[in-house]
Amino acid sequence: MGWSGSIPLSWALPTTLCSSNFLFKQSCLPVPAFASHELHFPRSSINCSRSFWLSRTNKNSRICASQVKVEDTTEDETCELVNGVELSIGEGDDAINAYLCTAVKNNNGTGILLLSDVFGFEDSATRDFAYLVACNGYNVLVPDLFRGDPWTKERPKALFEEWRARQNPEHIAKDIFISADWMVNEFVAAGITKKLGIIGFCFGGGQVIDILAHDQGGCFGVGVSFYGTGISTSAAANIRVPVLFIAGDNDPLCPVNNLKDIGKEIEHQKIVVFQGRGHGFVHRPESPEEDEDAEKAFVIMRNWVHDGLAIET
C-alpha cells in the first residue's frame, strides 16, 4: 500500500478528470505546525447569519461515469468549482461504489479518504462535507462502507444492533484499503507521490484509528477523527502519523476521557473539545450555535490536514 519518492514543490499540470488518472496543480496556505495538546472551546453564544452546511446539489440522483459540476452558492472565497462523480472501484466481488469530489481550480494534488457515519456514503450531510473539503483544493473519495445497506432513520432503533452485527470489520477494512489503493494508483499515474489523508465521522471516526494502526504510515500521512465510536486504545499505540480528535464534551458515544486515554498512545495528536456539544455537531449541526462551532472545527481540521500532507517531513 505504501510508496516512496520525492515530492515536487509545485505542480504545473492542467486540472482534468479522465478515465485513467488525475492531473493536478498545487495551491498551499501557511498554517500552524503540529502540537500534541488539548484544546477546549467554550459554548458559543453567537448566532450565524447563514447555515454552514447548505444543500448544494441533489444528492439523491445517481451519477455514473459522468461528471457533475457543482456551483458554490456561498460567499466563501475559498470555495471553487467542484466536480462530483459516482463511480465503481475494484473488480468482481471486490467492486464497491464511491463518491468522488475534486476541486477544479487550485487543486493541490492531495487525496482525502472520507469515511461516513452509519448513514452511508449517499447521505447529504456527508456529501456536503466532502464538497467543502474539495472546495479547499482537495480530492475527496467517499466509499460505500456498507455496500448498499447503510442504517436509515426509518428503521426501528431496536434493530440497530442487529444491523451493526452484519457489518463485518474485516470486510470494511478491506474496502477502505481498496479505496485507498485506487487513489494511490490514480495519483501515481499522474506523477504524484503524496500520501493520503483520512477523515471519519462517528463510525467512520472509529475506523480511522483502526486503519491508521494497520497502515502505520505506509499509505496515510495524517488522520482526523470526528467523535469516533468504538475506538480501540490498544490499536492507537500502533499509529505512526499525526491524528486530530474533535468531539463535544456532552457526547456519551465518544467520552472525552476515553479520547484522552487514546491520545496518550499517539505521539503526535491533538484533542479539540467543544463545550456543550453532543454527537455529530460538526457535520450535522442543529442550531446556529452548533453551526458556529462547526465552522471553527472545519478550520482546525483543514489546517491539520494541510500541515500533515502539504508540508510533509
Side-chain angles (χ1 to χ4, degrees):
M1 289 298 302
W3 70 92
S4 59
S6 61
I7 299 173
L9 295 179
S10 63
W11 304 100
L13 300 175
T15 304
T16 63
L17 174 64
C18 56
S19 59
S20 59
N21 61 70
F22 303 102
L23 304 177
F24 308 111
K25 59 182 179 179
Q26 183 162 344
S27 173
C28 300
L29 298 174
V31 292
F34 284 123
S36 296
H37 59 280
E38 181 180 348
L39 299 179
H40 287 266
F41 282 82
R43 183 191 300 271
S44 172
S45 59
I46 303 175
N47 290 330
C48 297
S49 58
R50 62 176 176 81
S51 175
F52 186 49
W53 310 109
L54 295 175
S55 177
R56 298 177 175 84
T57 185
N58 181 6
K59 304 302 189 302
N60 294 322
S61 60
R62 183 168 181 79
I63 310 156
C64 297
S66 63
Q67 293 188 41
V68 175
K69 293 184 178 181
V70 183
E71 294 285 354
D72 176 39
T73 59
T74 75
E75 297 177 356
D76 188 347
E77 294 180 355
T78 65
C79 280
E80 302 283 358
L81 188 66
V82 170
N83 279 347
V85 62
E86 289 196 6
L87 66 164
S88 179
I89 295 172
E91 299 179 356
D93 293 338
D94 287 336
I96 59 173
N97 293 324
Y99 179 69
L100 177 68
C101 270
T102 59
V104 175
K105 294 183 180 180
N106 298 322
N107 193 302
N108 61 22
T110 305
I112 301 291
L113 195 61
L114 179 60
L115 308 183
S116 72
D117 57 18
V118 295
F119 296 106
F121 86 119
E122 292 182 308
D123 182 76
S124 61
T126 296
R127 294 202 176 187
D128 283 346
F129 193 92
Y131 171 88
L132 287 175
V133 176
C135 276
N136 284 268
Y138 293 94
N139 307 280
V140 187
L141 184 69
V142 189
D144 178 11
L145 300 181
F146 308 112
R147 290 185 169 267
D149 182 33
W151 179 252
T152 61
K153 296 179 181 179
E154 293 75 22
R155 299 186 187 186
K157 293 183 179 180
L159 299 179
F160 179 80
E161 292 303 325
E162 177 183 336
W163 171 86
R164 182 68 178 83
R166 295 200 303 269
Q167 311 309 317
N168 188 304
E170 293 182 359
H171 291 170
I172 290 174
K174 180 180 178 180
D175 287 347
I176 292 173
F177 278 113
I178 286 175
S179 301
D181 192 46
W182 180 84
M183 295 192 80
V184 169
N185 290 336
E186 295 291 340
F187 274 60
V188 170
I192 299 173
T193 57
K194 287 184 178 182
K195 293 184 179 180
L196 306 175
I198 184 169
I199 300 172
F201 302 110
C202 313
F203 173 86
Q207 292 296 309
V208 165
I209 303 307
D210 289 339
I211 294 301
L212 291 179
H214 283 88
D215 182 61
Q216 296 193 7
C219 177
F220 298 102
V222 68
V224 181
S225 175
F226 286 95
Y227 25 79
T229 58
I231 299 178
S232 169
T233 303
S234 59
N238 295 317
I239 293 178
R240 301 291 180 265
V241 299
V243 181
L244 169 67
F245 296 92
I246 294 180
D249 68 349
N250 192 28
D251 184 355
L253 300 180
C254 181
V256 173
N257 288 337
N258 288 0
L259 291 184
K260 292 179 180 179
D261 291 338
I262 293 165
K264 294 176 183 178
E265 304 295 331
I266 304 174
E267 182 177 358
H268 299 291
Q269 52 80 24
K270 180 188 291 184
I271 301 173
V272 181
V273 179
F274 285 82
Q275 295 183 14
R277 298 292 165 247
H279 199 67
F281 73 95
V282 177
H283 72 306
R284 299 181 187 279
E286 297 181 348
S287 68
E289 292 76 20
E290 287 193 352
D291 193 76
E292 178 81 7
D293 284 346
E295 291 194 45
K296 293 177 181 178
F298 186 89
V299 171
I300 293 169
M301 176 221 67
R302 182 182 61 191
N303 291 348
W304 184 265
V305 169
H306 178 275
D307 230 16
L309 297 178
I311 306 176
E312 296 190 82
T313 58

